[in-house]
Amino acid sequence: MYPVILQQVGKTYHLDAVDVPALSDINLDIRPNCFTVISGASGSGKTTLLNLIGCIDRPTTGEVTVAGQAIGRMSDDALSDFRARHLGFIFQNFNLLPVLTTYENVEFPLILAGVPAAQRRERVLMLLDAVGLADRINNRPGQLSGGQRQRVAIARALAPAPKLVLADEPTANLDSQTGAAIIALMRKMQREHQVSFVFSSHDPQVQAEADDAVFIRDGRITGIERRDAVNAEGKVSA
């Protein structure tokens, strides 16, 4: 089953008396266990598309189905709970809570999900070790480099074992060397955890790593390029 299906999707924003179309006639399937990158110029609609896939917004027309659920039919409370349980997010500006330690930032979504303390600790320590921050669990974000903060964000996104992780320009605030290391880490985690990653990005390094590249312009998809994807067992998925 595809983790995300968009069928004849359109999105229009209403600003006072003016209708502003952001997306038109979007048809897209996100393949399971793949790295998918959405590319387009500023104002092309890629962030709006990412927001629909991430259940942050609802379509004006058409249907968006995520993990088998049609999001347009869900209440606000149900949608919020669905996001917390099934989706992970990695932000350009990290969006870590500055008063919490590395450990506490990764633990936070598990607390919200009601995961018991012993299970939380096991999961958090495993993820922080996987992203190379086992020795930084008591540091706060202000004591970490940009690359380390993004590693915390990756661990936090994977904490609730989501079906889908979304990232909005995840390397935009990093230098090229750190960005390349973060891309390699995300690819490693994507394969090991068998989760779909969807990015919006201008970064050629991110685009080069993609299994699927979706190109968008003026609110419409202009092309989709798909490659064979190799999963954690070394098998190719089409």
Side-chain angles (χ1 to χ4, degrees):
M1 180 181 74
Y2 289 111
V4 180
I5 301 171
L6 294 93
Q7 297 174 303
Q8 298 294 312
V9 167
K11 180 65 182 179
T12 300
Y13 292 102
H14 305 287
L15 304 176
D16 296 325
V18 179
D19 289 345
V20 181
L23 295 174
S24 300
D25 194 29
I26 300 293
N27 292 284
L28 177 64
D29 298 332
I30 301 297
R31 292 193 295 167
N33 306 330
C34 283
F35 236 45
T36 299
V37 177
I38 302 170
S39 297
S42 178
S44 62
K46 63 182 184 297
T47 298
T48 300
L49 179 54
L50 198 70
N51 286 343
L52 291 177
I53 294 171
C55 306
I56 295 170
D57 207 349
R58 290 184 173 87
T60 305
T61 59
E63 187 164 83
V64 178
T65 303
V66 179
Q69 297 290 319
I71 68 168
R73 304 171 190 174
M74 302 171 71
S75 68
D76 289 345
D77 287 346
L79 199 58
S80 178
D81 182 67
F82 180 82
R83 282 197 305 269
R85 293 184 180 278
H86 297 289
L87 305 179
F89 295 89
I90 301 169
F91 299 95
Q92 179 178 333
N93 294 317
F94 319 127
N95 281 22
L96 301 178
L97 296 173
V99 298
L100 299 185
T101 65
T102 294
Y103 180 97
E104 292 165 340
N105 266 285
V106 178
E107 182 188 35
F108 190 63
L110 298 177
I111 293 174
L112 295 179
V115 176
Q119 292 180 32
R120 293 201 307 265
R121 179 171 179 80
E122 181 180 5
R123 179 94 179 147
V124 172
L125 292 178
M126 180 274 290
L127 286 168
L128 288 176
D129 182 62
V131 300
L133 291 177
D135 60 342
R136 300 284 183 175
I137 63 173
N138 294 317
N139 290 90
R140 287 185 168 84
Q143 300 170 310
L144 301 174
S145 68
Q148 288 171 332
R149 292 182 197 182
Q150 198 61 296
R151 288 172 181 266
V152 177
I154 293 167
R156 180 185 59 187
L158 290 168
K163 300 179 185 299
L164 181 69
V165 172
L166 297 105
D168 188 11
E169 298 282 359
T171 60
N173 289 337
L174 304 174
D175 62 74
S176 59
Q177 184 174 358
T178 303
I182 289 298
I183 295 164
L185 175 62
M186 288 190 291
R187 173 56 109 178
K188 175 177 178 287
M189 300 299 281
Q190 177 260 321
R191 285 176 171 157
E192 289 181 355
H193 291 263
Q194 292 289 280
V195 62
S196 299
F197 270 62
V198 181
F199 304 85
S200 67
S201 184
H202 290 99
D203 189 342
Q205 293 182 107
V206 177
Q207 295 168 3
E209 190 62 34
D211 297 312
D212 294 344
V214 179
F215 301 95
I216 187 169
R217 180 178 181 182
D218 297 332
R220 295 179 180 271
I221 291 177
T222 59
I224 300 174
E225 295 179 0
R226 300 191 188 273
R227 306 175 188 168
D228 289 336
V230 180
N231 63 24
E233 288 76 35
K235 298 177 181 178
V236 175
S237 63

